[in-house]
Amino acid sequence: MNLSLSDQNMHPPCKGGPEEEKPELLHPCFRRSMYDDSLATYSNDSIISQLLRKTIQNKRALDEGLFYLPAAALSSSSVADSSQEDHNSTSSKNSAVEPASPGSQSSPEGERPVSEHHRAKRARVENIIRGMAGSPNARLSSDGERGEEDAREARDFYRENKRKQRVPQHQEHGLSEGASAGRGSVGGSRDEECQRLRDQLRAMQRLLRQLQEKFVQVHSLSDSEQDDREEAGSACATEHDDVTGDREPQEGSESEPHTEPDREVGRRPDGTKMYRRQAGKREGGQAAVRAEGESLQEALKYELSRAVGDTVDAFFKKFSATLLTQPAPVRVAQTPVNGNLGLKKSTKGPSSPELFRTEESVKSRALDYCEGAEAQSAEGQTEALSLVVRKPALSHPGSTGQGVKRPYPLHHAPFHFGYSAPFHENQILEHLLKYGPHGSFGSFSCLPPPMDRSSPDSVDLVSSIPAGHHSRQAALGPMMVDGLSLPHVKMECGDLPAMAERNPYMPLNIQEGLTPSHLKKAKLMFFYTRYPSSNVLKTFFPDVKFNRCITSQLIKWFSNFREFYYIQMEKFARQAIMDGVSDVKEMCVTRDSELFRALNMHYNKANDFQVPERFLEVAEITLHEFFNAISLSKDSDPSWKKAIYKVICKLDSEVPDEFKSSSCL
DNA sequence: AAGCATCCTG
DNA sequence: CAGGATGCTT
């Protein structure tokens, strides 16, 4: 797009990289607070930054085939951690490289054999990375132990080297450019991945920053300066003023002082472009660096998820502590004591306008230092992860008042107010959730009262919930949903804007993800319909924001249900035949049947749902179909089941309207 | 080619 | 239950 601009603004002083952002990351209120542990560790100058710097340095070195870096730069990591020097050397180095455009360094370097020295360097980088991923605490010291690493390097070198050599020298990137597969494009995908991760990390940091801001807002509104003042009091106050004053809240202690808006803020575009440019350049990387990329990638993933997990965890811990200790003006859905949640109008959080303002100020600043998240979606990530949102286990049925609820559904409120790029935030969060340690979300008990009996399969619920239970659920529904959902489902780009449009404060319970409750509901629905149309699904999951992913997931669910169903049928049919049953009519399915029990166990484990009679009939018919088919040896035909499927699919019945209730989970 | 279903596997 | 492979349908 505006890549053209980037070239102009490329000059050494532009430190576009993430290295700069450390101070910005932490809200003043959170510095020295309990967040320090979790946040500071992940500030931009954390290992990641250093690692990135080193990696880039190494890569550049390799690219250029020589170590043009001043010795200070290479060893800078062994000095302190942040050191402006380091940045400068890095950037100046980068700029020094710039002239050699990606294109110009094409073939000669591309084929250049990697020297032993270079490989040793690589080994070192890998060591750093490994050390980092291995023990978070030891990471910071890794720099100071360069010597030790060097020593270890020799050991590791051969092993690593061996491994690296297995890395395909040509990754078939299908570039029509030239015959040589080892051309500049080779390292691209790896690097892109790393780049993406970096971008995501930055965006995440932005998010964290916003979280903090949000917290400060809420906190300072609800907390008439209490204990927290001791921790970060003045900073908080200042922050608050600044925020409401629509100003940059950052304090002088930042290494990105606002006294130089031109340098700092103003250079945003520069930084951005530079960043892009570097990315572009890196795409011209060589296969030799791929190994680093791989490790780096993993390390980044690790760091990213851990950072988020820890931070979010810490954040909500603190948040919840605040809420619990103070009857804040901001009422975050507490547990429903009476069935009236006080959630409806309380629209979690302070008045929206203020938050919006905050958001704006945050935004302007946030945009300053990162933009990389931009084009990089998380597509490359295909790690298997359950699409089902796992609710934290409902621990204490009775301890309603103790549960601490996340003030916002993770995907909603705080992240996309007037934001220009809600999509990225969400996607990144999504991504992080994917990789994030689930445990960290379950660690704090954001739990509503137990669903248990409230599960309004009320239609045929065996349980005897009083007539009034429905209204209670109606109220309960949204809150539970909001409080519990951690949408894990891959989102569809097309739906995100719509998401963003929704009022984040609206206690609406639209889900981007399917929860276990949805799964349960789907299973119960299976008693009525084995082949639900997507329309039916939409109708009966009104609280789900449908997109292709969700739809196919639901469809897949029913497919799985059917699979199990038919397997059981076949099994029991064969069993009957084995048992010498000769007449179909001897076989009937009742609630006492083993077959039924197996099915019931699968679809209605809690056994709190009165399975409709019709299902028994259908099951019996199915069983008969299988029995007959097998008896007639139709099963020799590979597709013999299809005929049965055809019969069964016509036996669907209507799903009771009660299932339409969104709170019917 | 896309969408859906089943089968198979983990 | 999810993902991938496969096959069928449109």
Side-chain angles (χ1 to χ4, degrees):
Chain A
M1 303 237 281
N2 14 6
L3 278 176
S4 53
L5 292 175
S6 65
D7 294 348
Q8 303 173 351
N9 298 319
M10 288 292 306
H11 42 98
C14 297
K15 321 163 221 168
E19 295 83 12
E20 243 64 40
E21 297 135 25
K22 157 173 107 182
E24 285 274 315
L25 181 65
L26 282 182
H27 187 286
C29 274
F30 294 98
R31 266 176 261 129
R32 315 182 105 153
S33 70
M34 60 177 288
Y35 291 94
D36 276 4
D37 286 345
S38 51
L39 286 183
T41 311
Y42 302 111
S43 65
N44 285 313
D45 214 344
S46 71
I47 318 302
I48 288 197
S49 309
Q50 300 178 29
L51 174 62
L52 290 172
R53 282 198 297 274
K54 284 180 206 155
T55 306
I56 291 170
Q57 287 166 4
N58 272 286
K59 180 180 294 186
R60 294 249 185 273
L62 290 173
D63 286 347
E64 299 305 310
L66 53 88
F67 295 101
Y68 50 83
L69 283 179
L74 276 179
S75 58
S76 66
S77 49
S78 65
V79 189
D81 28 317
S82 53
S83 82
Q84 194 76 11
E85 258 192 42
D86 198 11
H87 304 317
N88 288 341
S89 55
T90 302
S91 47
S92 61
K93 172 214 61 187
N94 289 344
S95 60
V97 183
E98 277 330 309
S101 71
S104 66
Q105 54 168 317
S106 50
S107 39
E109 289 90 351
E111 313 302 321
R112 177 177 301 150
V114 185
S115 74
E116 293 291 285
H117 193 152
H118 297 164
R119 275 181 278 179
K121 284 287 172 195
R122 287 212 310 270
R124 178 191 294 164
V125 170
E126 289 228 347
N127 271 339
I128 295 168
I129 294 168
R130 263 198 310 280
M132 177 183 116
S135 65
N137 289 333
R139 285 176 293 167
L140 285 177
S141 63
S142 69
D143 279 338
E145 297 169 359
R146 165 77 67 223
E148 193 179 313
E149 280 181 18
D150 282 332
R152 216 181 315 136
E153 173 180 304
R155 287 201 305 275
D156 295 337
F157 171 72
Y158 291 102
R159 186 175 59 229
E160 296 306 325
N161 196 30
K162 215 169 188 180
R163 183 160 61 83
K164 273 194 271 273
Q165 281 171 350
R166 275 203 302 265
V167 176
Q169 284 296 342
H170 47 298
Q171 270 195 347
E172 305 297 6
H173 243 275
L175 280 209
S176 52
E177 270 274 336
S180 76
R183 199 117 175 192
S185 63
V186 174
S189 63
R190 277 283 165 232
D191 287 340
E192 281 171 27
E193 179 66 16
C194 290
Q195 181 67 30
R196 271 200 295 275
L197 287 166
R198 257 161 46 136
D199 294 341
Q200 286 164 15
L201 176 60
R202 262 196 301 281
M204 200 52 230
Q205 287 165 338
R206 206 165 60 202
L207 275 178
L208 292 177
R209 171 79 189 169
Q210 289 170 30
L211 264 177
Q212 292 164 1
E213 299 258 7
K214 209 60 54 200
F215 175 79
V216 170
Q217 281 265 314
V218 172
H219 192 266
S220 41
L221 284 177
S222 62
D223 173 9
S224 340
E225 60 253 42
Q226 285 197 3
D227 51 0
D228 238 285
R229 213 212 250 142
E230 298 172 8
E231 284 198 84
S234 58
C236 267
T238 310
E239 169 70 354
H240 185 249
D241 291 341
D242 284 342
V243 163
T244 51
D246 201 7
R247 257 211 51 190
E248 283 282 321
Q250 294 307 310
E251 296 300 309
S253 64
E254 306 299 326
S255 71
E256 279 203 298
H258 294 175
T259 51
E260 291 262 327
D262 288 336
R263 272 229 174 279
E264 302 304 323
V265 178
R267 81 172 150 70
R268 194 243 320 173
D270 306 356
T272 299
K273 280 138 200 168
M274 176 164 175
Y275 192 76
R276 281 213 202 108
R277 211 185 143 117
Q278 288 171 355
K281 183 174 172 55
R282 270 193 296 280
E283 288 192 12
Q286 301 170 10
V289 224
R290 229 176 295 129
E292 280 106 309
E294 226 165 324
S295 296
L296 176 61
Q297 189 180 336
E298 290 311 309
L300 283 168
K301 283 179 185 174
Y302 171 86
E303 192 82 353
L304 212 51
S305 57
R306 189 164 154 278
V308 175
D310 290 358
T311 306
V312 172
D313 212 7
F315 176 83
F316 283 112
K317 263 184 205 156
K318 179 148 186 169
F319 198 0
S320 60
T322 304
L323 291 171
L324 287 179
T325 52
Q326 309 156 23
V330 185
R331 248 193 110 70
V332 175
Q334 292 287 14
T335 332
V337 193
N338 304 325
N340 202 353
L341 300 182
L343 168 69
K344 277 197 170 169
K345 285 292 178 180
S346 66
T347 59
K348 332 143 199 176
S351 56
S352 310
E354 287 175 19
L355 283 182
F356 269 78
R357 246 176 287 152
T358 312
E359 211 56 29
E360 279 308 308
S361 60
V362 173
K363 170 185 173 181
S364 60
R365 189 175 52 253
L367 286 178
D368 286 346
Y369 61 100
C370 86
E371 193 171 295
E374 172 174 48
Q376 318 288 3
S377 67
E379 292 156 352
Q381 314 302 340
T382 52
E383 259 80 336
L385 192 136
S386 172
L387 290 177
V388 182
V389 176
R390 310 244 173 250
K391 288 178 182 176
L394 303 181
S395 46
H396 306 301
S399 63
T400 41
Q402 315 216 343
V404 174
K405 299 178 61 54
R406 194 173 284 115
Y408 315 96
L410 228 55
H411 263 324
H412 293 181
F415 303 116
H416 50 57
F417 301 87
Y419 227 86
S420 60
F423 167 78
H424 305 308
E425 319 310 31
N426 280 289
Q427 198 179 39
I428 285 154
L429 239 192
E430 190 66 37
H431 189 72
L432 285 161
L433 285 170
K434 266 174 85 176
Y435 290 103
H438 298 205
S440 58
F441 289 118
S443 62
F444 55 93
S445 47
C446 51
L447 304 180
M451 278 291 265
D452 206 315
R453 279 293 159 197
S454 68
S455 151
D457 316 317
S458 32
V459 228
D460 293 313
L461 257 186
V462 177
S463 61
S464 53
I465 296 177
H469 79 278
H470 227 44
S471 59
R472 182 181 136 231
Q473 285 153 6
L476 186 58
M479 190 212 69
M480 297 191 68
V481 168
D482 279 359
L484 288 181
S485 330
L486 298 175
H488 261 143
V489 177
K490 302 170 207 153
M491 285 187 293
E492 188 117 319
C493 310
D495 296 294
L496 288 159
M499 267 173 52
E501 280 169 20
R502 291 204 302 267
N503 181 351
Y505 293 102
M506 205 162 77
L508 92 171
N509 50 342
I510 301 290
Q511 304 269 289
E512 287 85 29
L514 293 169
T515 67
S517 292
H518 292 122
L519 178 59
K520 181 182 177 184
K521 182 175 176 176
K523 284 179 171 179
L524 296 180
M525 284 173 62
F526 184 77
F527 285 124
Y528 297 92
T529 173
R530 269 61 59 186
Y531 294 86
S533 68
S534 58
N535 273 340
V536 166
L537 293 177
K538 286 191 177 91
T539 303
F540 286 92
F541 290 95
D543 60 337
V544 173
K545 178 79 184 168
F546 273 82
N547 57 38
R548 235 176 281 136
C549 267
I550 298 290
T551 305
S552 53
Q553 189 186 358
L554 271 170
I555 289 174
K556 178 70 177 174
W557 279 0
F558 276 87
S559 175
N560 286 333
F561 299 160
R562 283 193 298 272
E563 191 172 8
F564 179 83
Y565 176 82
Y566 287 127
I567 286 173
Q568 295 303 309
M569 293 299 169
E570 181 178 357
K571 190 172 94 182
F572 278 87
R574 290 190 187 279
Q575 188 63 47
I577 292 172
M578 297 271 278
D579 291 346
V581 175
S582 54
D583 189 356
V584 214
K585 293 176 182 173
E586 292 179 39
M587 299 190 308
C588 55
V589 177
T590 70
R591 293 176 197 274
D592 296 329
S593 306
E594 249 187 82
L595 173 58
F596 174 79
R597 273 185 283 167
L599 296 172
N600 193 53
M601 184 58 72
H602 191 71
Y603 307 116
N604 181 28
K605 192 163 287 182
N607 199 32
D608 54 1
F609 178 78
Q610 178 74 25
V611 178
E613 203 67 33
R614 174 64 177 164
F615 179 76
L616 296 174
E617 299 171 16
V618 174
E620 192 169 301
I621 294 171
T622 313
L623 183 61
H624 290 176
E625 289 290 327
F626 270 92
F627 182 92
N628 287 332
I630 296 170
S631 299
L632 299 174
S633 295
K634 286 183 181 173
D635 56 339
S636 57
D637 177 0
S639 56
W640 65 284
K641 290 177 185 171
K642 284 187 179 174
I644 301 178
Y645 299 154
K646 211 167 183 177
V647 172
I648 305 307
C649 75
K650 290 174 183 162
L651 302 180
D652 278 7
S653 42
E654 297 261 309
V655 180
D657 284 347
E658 286 86 341
F659 279 87
K660 286 178 183 169
S661 159
S662 65
S663 60
C664 172
L665 293 176

